[in-house]
Amino acid sequence: MKKTIVLLRLSYWIAAIADFVVAILAWIPERMGVEAVAYPMGLFSVIAFSWTVMLLMADRKPIERKWVLIPTIIVVALITIVRAVFSLGGTIEFSLGLLLFGIALIILMTYSYYYASKQEKSR
């Protein structure tokens, strides 16, 4: 049980911190591949910040709210794919570190969800 909670909390917190950083970076035009702040950057920032709050709320009841990882995995996967596509297109600079971070986070969250579900079924 303790390993399950640690894995879930680790997944929630790493994703929440990453989302918070993304919410801040969304306001930096150079990071977004544009010359000035644009309206969609603000919208994206609000969504990333809200997702941070949702993940931190899930941390309060980690097992009961493990379902939060499912949409989070989808969002992280899509953001990782979009970043890779725009990097390959030359819009933004390619970062192997960010690509590997996205993949590692997806693996961690998927394993955490799987392990928690497996432990729940074995009871």
Side-chain angles (χ1 to χ4, degrees):
M1 177 66 111
K2 186 168 176 81
K3 180 180 176 182
T4 303
I5 292 172
V6 168
L7 281 171
L8 289 171
R9 286 200 162 143
L10 191 61
S11 294
Y12 297 143
W13 275 93
I14 292 173
I17 291 167
D19 271 341
F20 185 74
V21 169
V22 167
I24 302 292
L25 293 177
W27 287 99
I28 302 172
E30 297 81 28
R31 297 282 305 165
M32 297 293 117
V34 294
E35 294 181 16
V37 174
Y39 178 65
M41 294 164 63
L43 294 176
F44 180 72
S45 179
V46 168
I47 292 167
F49 182 76
S50 298
W51 210 280
T52 300
V53 172
M54 183 179 71
L55 286 162
L56 293 178
M57 288 173 60
D59 180 64
R60 299 300 90 206
K61 293 183 179 180
I63 295 173
E64 295 87 345
R65 296 179 182 161
K66 71 180 185 296
W67 63 267
V68 168
L69 289 178
I70 295 171
T72 305
I73 291 165
I74 294 168
V75 167
V76 172
L78 291 173
I79 289 173
T80 302
I81 290 167
V82 166
R83 179 161 177 72
V85 168
F86 277 83
S87 293
L88 293 173
T91 305
I92 57 173
E93 186 178 330
F94 177 76
S95 171
L96 181 61
L98 287 176
L99 178 65
L100 293 176
F101 176 74
I103 293 168
L105 186 54
I106 292 164
I107 291 169
L108 171 66
M109 291 186 299
T110 302
Y111 179 73
S112 298
Y113 182 83
Y114 168 78
Y115 189 80
S117 296
K118 185 176 151 186
Q119 292 300 313
E120 195 172 57
K121 286 180 184 176
S122 68
R123 291 188 179 166

